[in-house]
Amino acid sequence: AQSVTQLDSQVPVFEEAPVELRCNYSSSVSVYLFWYVQYPNQGLQLLLKYLSGSTLVKGINGFEAEFNKSQTSFHLRKPSVHISDTAEYFCAVSVTGGGNKLTFGTGTQLKVEL
Amino acid sequence: DTAVSQTPKYLVTQMGNDKSIKCEQNLGHDTMYWYKQDSKKFLKIMFSYNNKELIINETVPNRFSPKSPDKAHLNLHINSLELGDSAVYFCASSQGSTGAFFGQGTRLTVV
């Protein structure tokens, strides 16, 4: 079975600073990888996804992530954060033949401070 | 027009009651899901339907019964509600492996 680890439960960062949210996965088969953002009292919004091809994927709101198969990682980055990026970020994985179900990490709370 | 809409947004009810949550998607997707988010924000899949057929049924108590009248709708009925059922329930839909679109969630509080 697949699993996702988000080691950082909280990441504080100052506005306009760069940020990296870490995600590692475990799977014995090929994976699809996703990052979702959840603002308070809202649903999850898809930030970006890796399905195949280029390992560097760009998403909405200036975020990008890099798939590293050898490190089994899919870290999320943004070069300059804004107060409005304060939210919970979830990494998720699905596997081929798995019915497209998403297995989520435990989430990382990004707190952007002035 | 909301892509995945679920009702109600908030639901407060007493232990032992039966309640339903409704979900509709207008994206034309073939697959719909129910996910549960607990108080620690952990998300876990409960059910998945593809073209009205149940394809994923995780280890969920049989007090929870999903129903899909057509591929645009997926409802969740919960019998004999317990305190531990308090959570946020998310409906989602997807087409293939391209990633799921989520509704705004239903916050269920059992008192």
Side-chain angles (χ1 to χ4, degrees):
Chain A
Q2 64 274 18
S3 66
V4 177
T5 301
Q6 292 181 250
L7 284 173
D8 306 307
S9 59
Q10 289 188 33
V11 173
V13 62
F14 288 110
E15 196 174 33
E16 297 184 6
V19 71
E20 178 180 84
L21 305 184
R22 296 183 292 167
C23 172
N24 287 87
Y25 69 91
S26 172
S27 174
S28 56
V29 297
S30 296
V31 297
Y32 305 117
L33 292 156
F34 307 86
W35 275 99
Y36 284 85
V37 60
Q38 184 178 28
Y39 299 102
N41 297 315
Q42 293 193 26
L44 285 85
Q45 182 180 12
L46 181 62
L47 270 180
L48 47 77
K49 59 191 174 188
Y50 171 78
L51 303 180
S52 66
S54 173
T55 56
L56 181 63
V57 292
K58 294 188 185 298
I60 61 171
N61 302 341
F63 283 94
E64 64 179 34
E66 185 151 24
F67 171 56
N68 187 319
K69 191 174 181 180
S70 62
Q71 304 276 338
T72 60
S73 68
F74 190 56
H75 300 333
L76 180 71
R77 300 185 186 102
K78 186 169 182 177
S80 175
V81 296
H82 189 265
I83 284 281
S84 59
D85 293 321
T86 295
E88 192 85 22
Y89 291 79
F90 292 95
C91 182
V93 64
S94 68
V95 299
T96 52
N100 299 317
K101 79 169 189 179
L102 293 168
T103 298
F104 284 90
T106 48
T108 297
Q109 172 70 38
L110 175 64
K111 186 169 182 185
V112 181
E113 301 164 354
L114 290 169
Chain B
D1 229 8
T2 307
V4 181
S5 60
Q6 50 183 111
T7 55
K9 189 165 182 182
Y10 299 97
L11 189 50
V12 181
T13 187
Q14 290 187 325
M15 275 196 309
N17 283 351
D18 303 338
K19 289 293 178 187
S20 292
I21 307 171
K22 297 188 174 190
C23 179
E24 175 181 5
Q25 56 99 0
N26 62 6
L27 297 166
H29 290 165
D30 287 336
T31 308
M32 295 186 73
Y33 314 82
W34 281 109
Y35 284 84
K36 179 180 179 180
Q37 186 172 46
D38 64 22
S39 58
K40 295 184 178 177
K41 296 200 173 176
F42 184 62
L43 282 147
K44 188 168 163 54
I45 191 166
M46 300 172 70
F47 302 103
S48 170
Y49 271 75
N50 185 272
N51 276 319
K52 303 193 296 176
E53 266 195 63
L54 181 66
I55 57 169
I56 293 175
N57 183 348
E58 296 287 296
T59 49
V60 177
N62 57 15
R63 297 181 295 103
F64 290 78
S65 52
K67 278 194 173 54
S68 182
D70 55 61
K71 76 172 196 177
H73 295 85
L74 179 62
N75 304 322
L76 183 65
H77 188 75
I78 316 169
N79 289 326
S80 304
L81 278 154
E82 300 176 358
L83 292 176
D85 297 331
S86 295
V88 182
Y89 293 85
F90 286 102
C91 177
S93 72
S94 74
Q95 186 66 30
S97 56
T98 56
F101 286 79
F102 284 77
Q104 292 297 294
T106 295
R107 184 174 294 275
L108 172 65
T109 304
V110 183
V111 296

